[in-house]
């Protein structure tokens, strides 16, 4: 038995039945072992969640990096990163719920685990700043308030999609198919003023 095997079973459980269905007993049952044996590898169920949080964020960063490798910092990379995050979330609803929502009362990822997620946030925030500096967006777009609004747009679409039509694809979903239109509305709202 390896940690990765246990995490594979845990990921399958949260994908099929939701994050709240995960228990040490369920993982052990899937592996054909007794629950106490898992405590050699994880200090608690929250330890499993922490490892899943790290696993999900590493995969997400890799997915976004692949999708944006030909983009320079700025507006286009910000928009494509957002599309990539949403695509990944639709393909990985179990991990996405753990990464982007708070489905487990009391679960807080360790600081070093959370740092993986912060790198993505910081990069997107920097892209927004570069977009404003380059004139792709108005100067007032370079603010934490505008960044929160921007993330709320994509998070809202993704949340609605997963809550109402979880089996649809990113392209065909009733909500995710509106992504480009929503992003365009954001860009138009913060378009630079004509000189």
């Amino acid at each position: 038995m390896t940690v990765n095997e246990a995490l594979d079973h845990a990921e399958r459980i949260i994908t099929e039945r939701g994050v709240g269905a995960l228990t040490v007993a369920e993982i052990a049952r899937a592996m054909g072992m007794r629950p106490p044996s898992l405590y050699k590898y994880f200090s608690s169920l929250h330890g499993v969640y922490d490892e899943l949080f790290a696993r999900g964020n590493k995969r997400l960063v890799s997915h976004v990096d692949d999708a944006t490798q030909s983009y320079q910092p700025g507006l286009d990379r910000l928009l494509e990163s957002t599309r990539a995050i949403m695509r990944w979330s639709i393909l990985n609803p179990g991990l996405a719920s753990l990464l982007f929502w708070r489905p487990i009362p009391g679960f807080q990822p360790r600081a070093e685990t959370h740092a993986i997620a912060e790198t993505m946030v910081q990069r997107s925030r920097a892209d927004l700043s570069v977009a404003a500096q380059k004139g792709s967006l108005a100067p007032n777009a370079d603010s934490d308030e505008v960044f929160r609004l921007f993330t709320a747009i994509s998070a809202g679409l993704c949340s609605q999609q997963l809550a109402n039509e979880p089996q649809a694809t990113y392209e065909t979903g009733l909500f995710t198919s509106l992504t480009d239109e929503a992003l365009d509305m954001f860009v138009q709202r913060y378009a630079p003023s004509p000189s």
Side-chain angles (χ1 to χ4, degrees):
M1 199 289 281
T2 67
V3 169
N4 278 336
E5 284 179 84
L7 293 175
D8 289 344
H9 286 290
E11 187 177 340
R12 182 183 49 73
I13 291 166
I14 67 171
T15 299
E16 291 174 359
R17 292 184 273 155
V19 177
L22 187 64
T23 64
V24 169
E26 281 294 311
I27 300 169
R29 188 174 8 264
M31 299 184 72
M33 63 191 320
R34 296 179 67 228
S37 300
L38 277 176
Y39 289 110
K40 289 190 295 189
Y41 304 96
F42 304 100
S43 60
S44 66
L45 181 56
H46 280 204
V48 177
Y49 287 128
D50 192 74
E51 291 292 336
L52 287 172
F53 189 89
R55 173 188 267 206
N57 274 296
K58 288 174 186 171
R59 288 182 184 170
L60 175 60
V61 168
S62 178
H63 180 81
V64 173
D65 285 348
D66 288 347
T68 60
Q69 61 185 342
S70 63
Y71 290 82
Q72 294 299 311
L75 181 60
D76 289 340
R77 188 172 79 169
L78 176 65
L79 299 177
E80 193 56 35
S81 293
T82 299
R83 292 183 191 100
I85 291 167
M86 292 176 69
R87 282 188 183 99
W88 183 89
S89 298
I90 297 304
L91 291 170
N92 300 277
L95 287 174
S97 68
L98 186 61
L99 269 55
F100 301 122
W101 296 279
R102 301 251 184 225
I104 303 302
F107 170 64
Q108 192 73 20
R110 292 175 299 126
E112 54 267 33
T113 307
H114 194 262
I116 303 166
E118 278 300 310
T119 60
M120 183 70 62
V121 173
Q122 291 166 3
R123 188 173 87 172
S124 293
R125 178 64 181 88
D127 280 339
L128 181 65
S129 184
V130 169
Q133 291 166 16
K134 287 183 174 179
S136 303
L137 295 174
N140 70 329
D142 185 8
S143 76
D144 291 340
E145 181 182 59
V146 172
F147 183 64
R148 287 195 305 272
L149 173 63
F150 179 78
T151 60
I153 292 168
S154 58
L157 289 170
C158 204
S159 294
Q160 287 282 63
Q161 187 60 55
L162 289 171
N164 292 289
E165 197 187 20
Q167 302 306 319
T169 66
Y170 169 84
E171 290 77 16
T172 63
L174 292 174
F175 297 94
T176 50
S177 63
L178 301 173
T179 299
D180 286 344
E181 185 175 345
L183 293 177
D184 187 58
M185 288 169 60
F186 173 85
V187 171
Q188 292 306 315
R189 167 64 181 83
Y190 290 99
S193 301
S195 54

